[in-house]
């Protein structure tokens, strides 16, 4: 491939090709220009944006001109196509065949054909690297993210204006993307060298144990970089610290005991981790280029919510996400937080009313007595005057509301970014759930372990004493909306592989099985792991 790039840099067109290729000079002959235009037109649809772009620009070539900038564009395209696998993208382009096609051009008409072909290939590459090779919504109904995609005209105008430099801007410029690329290379090299060695038999190993299984555990952790090489056959202090470090880096309870869950994660092959990195790179391409100087990042696979300011995490709390059943999994999308509601009422979603509460009310009209039943005007309904057995999920005419209180399902504060999925962040009276390792229990909304502190952090941008302000509203007991002076972007993501703020590699379990689906889709699109064992 290196020889291909060297050949392309000097441009592989022959002397005959260059003699025929003076397209950039309109005075070289009307016949030549006509032949070039006809070839471009024949290789594009009259109604597509490529044809429209060339017509509006007088069929001035982007690729086959004889200026230094045209040569740079050609070289940049060949280089980019040669590196798709480096980015975990499908190897969809036969670079050598493309170079041969350029070299074989012998007429102005051939040049027009090559021009149209290069443009189509460029647009395919640009869409993949800029926005991802997959369409999220086609993979899983929880992937409702609207991916930013530039149309053909936007890409071509930018290429025409910026030249070869535009190729670099197509690649995500985030620190996370660069770090994931490094981890991808590191894992590929590791696999070439045999991976992390023998696995550890599934058993419970803890401090004070000794024997061959402890040695295997030790060796595995040494190979993974969590422990310095040692000859000790005992589960000692050093091994305890290594187990805890591994657990922390994999979202496990950091108790230092190598139980079944920990050993299962320890035994995952490097190829599994590499797949997670490939998926993370694709997911990074789906996210907005402009995340916001201040934004909220909820990583569902990590069960966490963070406030990020200028690239630094300034607040973090544990989170509970939707239960792993079809209609409760938390979706993935981005929006903007507009306000918080202190002392909120819980207006019960229609799905919960009809699926969970109506069957109970049919059996007992006084069921779920902590919830008010209201009519369309918001007036409370006398339960004793209603025959609930006559209603179905389709014709139930009432709404249900839980007034503000400490036992309210939303707790004492909710954070709103109005969206059609009715998803938001909120407090909860079920505090014990935050101690769980896997925290997927909600109906889809995100529950926060430290909602008050989250509110203080948000209000700090607009209140001199955010804590005092928050509690002055809270103590009224009245439902109160507090607007944020500046909307804050919210990104609900799902990342089983990511790089921490200090460069530490983090892996999480695929609780919704979404990453497995994405990996399958990437494979079908042509992505493949390096042909190595380990």
């Amino acid at each position: 491939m290196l020889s291909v790039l060297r050949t392309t840099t000097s441009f592989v067109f022959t002397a005959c090709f260059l003699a025929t290729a003076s397209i950039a000079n309109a005075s070289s002959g009307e016949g030549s220009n006509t032949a070039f235009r006809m070839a471009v037109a024949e290789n594009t649809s009259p109604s597509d944006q490529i044809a429209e772009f060339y017509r509006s620009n007088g069929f001035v070539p982007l690729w086959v001109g004889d200026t230094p900038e045209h040569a740079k564009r050609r070289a940049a395209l060949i280089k980019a196509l040669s590196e798709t696998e480096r980015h975990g993208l499908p190897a969809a382009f036969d670079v050598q065949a493309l170079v041969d096609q350029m070299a074989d051009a012998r007429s102005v008409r051939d040049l027009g054909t090559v021009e149209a072909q290069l443009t189509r290939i460029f647009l395919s590459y640009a869409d993949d690297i800029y926005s991802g090779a997959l369409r999220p919504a086609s993979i899983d109904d929880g992937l409702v993210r609207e991916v930013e995609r530039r149309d053909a005209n936007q890409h071509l105008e930018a290429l025409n204006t910026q030249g070869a430099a535009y190729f670099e801007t197509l690649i995500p410029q985030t620190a996370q993307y660069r770090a994931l690329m490094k981890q991808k290379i590191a894992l590929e090299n590791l696999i070439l060298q045999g991976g992390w060695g023998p696995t550890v038999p599934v058993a419970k190993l803890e401090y004070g144990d000794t024997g061959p299984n402890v040695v295997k555990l030790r060796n595995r952790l040494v190979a993974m970089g969590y422990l310095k090489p040692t000859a000790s056959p005992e589960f000692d202090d050093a091994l305890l610290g290594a187990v805890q470090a591994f657990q922390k880096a994999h979202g496990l309870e950091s108790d230092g005991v190598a139980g079944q869950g920990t050993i299962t994660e320890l035994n995952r092959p490097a190829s599994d981790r590499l797949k997670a990195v490939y998926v993370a790179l694709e997911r990074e391409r789906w996210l907005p280029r402009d995340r916001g100087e201040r934004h909220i990042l909820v990583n569902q696979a990590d069960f966490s919510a963070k406030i990020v300011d200028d690239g630094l995490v300034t607040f973090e709390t544990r989170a509970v996400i939707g239960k792993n059943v079809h209609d409760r999994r938390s979706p993935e999308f981005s929006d903007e937080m507009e306000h918080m509601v202190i002392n909120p009422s819980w207006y019960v979603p229609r799905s919960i009313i009809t699926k969970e509460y109506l069957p109970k009310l049919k059996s007992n009209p006084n069921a779920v007595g902590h919830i008010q039943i209201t009519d369309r005007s918001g007036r409370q309904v006398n339960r004793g005057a209603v025959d609930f057995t006559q209603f179905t999920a389709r014709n139930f005419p009432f709404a249900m509301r839980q007034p503000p209180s400490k036992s309210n399902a939303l707790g004492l504060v909710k954070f709103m970014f109005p969206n059609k999925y009715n998803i938001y962040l909120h407090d909860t009276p079920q505090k014990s759930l935050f101690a769980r390792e896997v925290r997927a229990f909600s109906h889809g909304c995100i529950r926060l372990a430290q909602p008050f502190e989250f509110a203080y952090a948000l209000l700090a941008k607009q209140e001199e004493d955010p804590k005092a302000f928050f509690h002055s509203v809270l103590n009224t007991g009245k439902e109160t909306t507090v607007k944020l002076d500046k909307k804050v972007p919210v990104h609900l993501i799902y990342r089983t592989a990511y790089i921490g703020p200090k460069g530490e590699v983090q892996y999480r379990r695929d609780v919704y099985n979404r990453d497995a689906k994405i990996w399958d889709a990437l494979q079908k699109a042509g992505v493949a792991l390096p042909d190595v064992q380990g």
Side-chain angles (χ1 to χ4, degrees), residues 4 214 347 502:
V4 170
V214 172
Y347 297 91
K502 297 181 180 179

Side-chain angles (χ1 to χ4, degrees), residues 158-172:
L159 178 66
N160 195 32
T161 303
Q162 300 176 34
Y166 182 56
F167 279 87
E168 188 61 30
T169 69
L170 291 169
I171 300 169

Side-chain angles (χ1 to χ4, degrees), residues 33-78:
N33 283 325
T34 300
F36 179 79
R37 293 183 183 204
M38 288 181 63
V40 171
E42 288 172 0
N43 286 276
T44 58
S45 169
S47 61
D48 72 14
Q49 289 187 327
I50 298 176
E52 181 182 339
F53 171 81
Y54 278 102
R55 284 195 300 268
S56 64
N57 285 275
F59 286 86
V60 174
L62 289 170
W63 310 101
V64 301
D66 54 4
T67 69
E69 179 54 40
H70 285 97
K72 288 180 182 178
R73 286 180 193 157
R74 295 189 294 264
L77 178 61
I78 295 299

Side-chain angles (χ1 to χ4, degrees), residues 317-345:
T317 184
R318 288 188 167 206
V320 166
I321 66 171
K323 189 175 181 179
N324 187 25
V325 295
H326 174 68
D327 59 348
R328 294 192 184 183
R329 298 183 189 104
S330 300
E332 300 173 48
F333 63 97
S334 293
D335 211 302
E336 288 186 319
M337 185 172 290
E338 299 178 3
H339 63 273
M340 66 182 72
V341 180
I342 302 173
N343 296 312
S345 294

Side-chain angles (χ1 to χ4, degrees), residues 88-99:
L89 288 168
F93 310 102
D94 188 337
V95 177
Q96 186 59 57
L98 183 61
V99 170

Side-chain angles (χ1 to χ4, degrees), residues 146 155 158 209 211 214 221 305 359 382 415:
E146 296 180 5
H155 280 306
D209 286 347
V214 172
L221 288 168
N382 180 358
F415 305 90

Side-chain angles (χ1 to χ4, degrees), residues 504-530:
E504 69 277 18
V505 183
Q506 301 281 314
Y507 293 107
R508 297 294 183 265
R509 284 163 288 189
D510 188 7
V511 63
Y512 287 164
N513 202 42
R514 282 184 188 154
D515 275 17
K517 292 180 181 179
I518 294 172
W519 172 248
D520 287 345
L522 284 171
Q523 282 188 301
K524 290 177 182 177
V527 172
L529 295 181

